Amino acid sequence: MTMKELIQAEIDKIPEQELNNLYQWIKEFSGKINNMKHSKTLETSDKHLSNSYPYHDLDYLAGTWTKEDETQFLLNTRQFNEIDQKLWQ
């Protein structure tokens, strides 16, 4: 399977309503790749790309929690707020 076919297979798994986000990401990424070609050194370009790229991989989850979800999460994570004194001796 070619790289292009592997990429297409992954795209096919993405829900239809998220394809606009993917398109925007690809456009931004392509622009950054094109800018890299005009940079003085590859090292500088890689540093710029890795430090400035905004991640959107969990954006689709924003605003989806209900009050019940929040309550359940807080109950299940309450123990993380407790300090085990034995671990600090």
Side-chain angles (χ1 to χ4, degrees):
M1 195 173 238
T2 67
M3 184 57 66
K4 194 171 189 176
E5 290 170 329
L6 288 170
I7 292 169
Q8 184 61 51
E10 290 302 317
I11 290 171
D12 290 342
K13 295 177 188 176
I14 298 173
E16 187 74 26
Q17 65 270 19
E18 294 304 318
L19 290 179
N20 188 47
N21 291 335
L22 176 63
Y23 174 71
Q24 293 301 320
W25 178 84
I26 291 171
K27 253 176 81 171
E28 291 172 22
F29 185 74
S30 295
K32 290 181 189 237
I33 294 295
N34 288 333
N35 288 339
M36 279 177 46
K37 291 177 184 176
H38 302 294
S39 295
K40 291 182 181 177
T41 65
L42 184 59
E43 182 181 41
T44 304
S45 298
D46 286 343
K47 184 177 179 185
H48 174 72
L49 182 62
S50 65
N51 289 339
S52 65
Y53 177 71
Y55 292 98
H56 297 289
D57 51 345
L58 298 176
D59 287 359
Y60 70 97
L61 294 173
T64 61
W65 275 17
T66 65
K67 270 296 193 192
E68 292 172 5
D69 293 331
E70 178 186 13
T71 302
Q72 191 67 31
F73 175 80
L74 293 174
L75 287 173
N76 289 330
T77 58
R78 181 175 33 187
Q79 69 189 33
F80 299 126
N81 292 327
E82 299 171 9
I83 298 172
D84 186 350
Q85 295 298 329
K86 291 182 268 181
L87 293 174
W88 293 95
Q89 293 179 357

